[in-house]
Amino acid sequence: MFYLPITMCIAQENTAKAAKVYEKYKQPFLDSVVGAKSKEFLLRDEDVQVLHGFDKAENAKAYLESSLFKNDVVSELSPLFDKTPQICLYEVLS
């Protein structure tokens, strides 16, 4: 299992807008992205994070290059960013 967290600094007054974008694209992500296993929206005062779960690192990296990510999700979220999001990839050791 691999996790792809994307951490975004978004002002508190815009977190509801970010949550709507998350809800809009959650099911399309789970239904159409190869290797997608889960997607969660995490909220705290200083930022929000979308935690994506994948079966393989290659599929997580491919998602970042996908039309769904670049043309849909990023285009709707980018006006809400206070600074560039942080993107990482973690492997679950078992």
Side-chain angles (χ1 to χ4, degrees):
M1 183 80 171
F2 290 82
Y3 285 103
L4 177 73
I6 301 175
T7 305
M8 299 162 280
C9 290
I10 295 176
Q12 285 185 336
E13 63 267 15
N14 290 324
T15 57
K17 291 177 186 176
K20 286 182 182 180
V21 173
Y22 163 79
E23 287 296 328
K24 180 178 179 179
Y25 292 109
K26 180 180 181 177
Q27 202 58 52
F29 168 81
L30 294 171
D31 291 343
S32 67
V33 174
V34 174
K37 298 292 184 187
S38 64
K39 185 173 182 175
E40 303 295 332
F41 186 81
L42 309 175
L43 177 64
R44 61 184 188 160
D45 289 343
E46 55 271 18
D47 57 31
V48 299
Q49 186 176 86
V50 177
L51 183 61
H52 305 78
F54 287 90
D55 61 349
K56 298 178 185 176
E58 296 80 18
N59 289 332
K61 291 174 186 175
Y63 170 64
L64 294 174
E65 298 301 320
S66 72
S67 173
L68 176 64
F69 181 72
K70 286 183 166 183
N71 298 335
D72 296 332
V73 176
V74 172
S75 68
E76 289 191 40
L77 284 175
S78 61
L80 305 177
F81 297 157
D82 290 340
K83 62 182 182 179
T84 303
Q86 180 183 14
I87 301 173
C88 302
L89 182 61
Y90 296 94
E91 180 178 5
V92 176
L93 297 177
S94 47

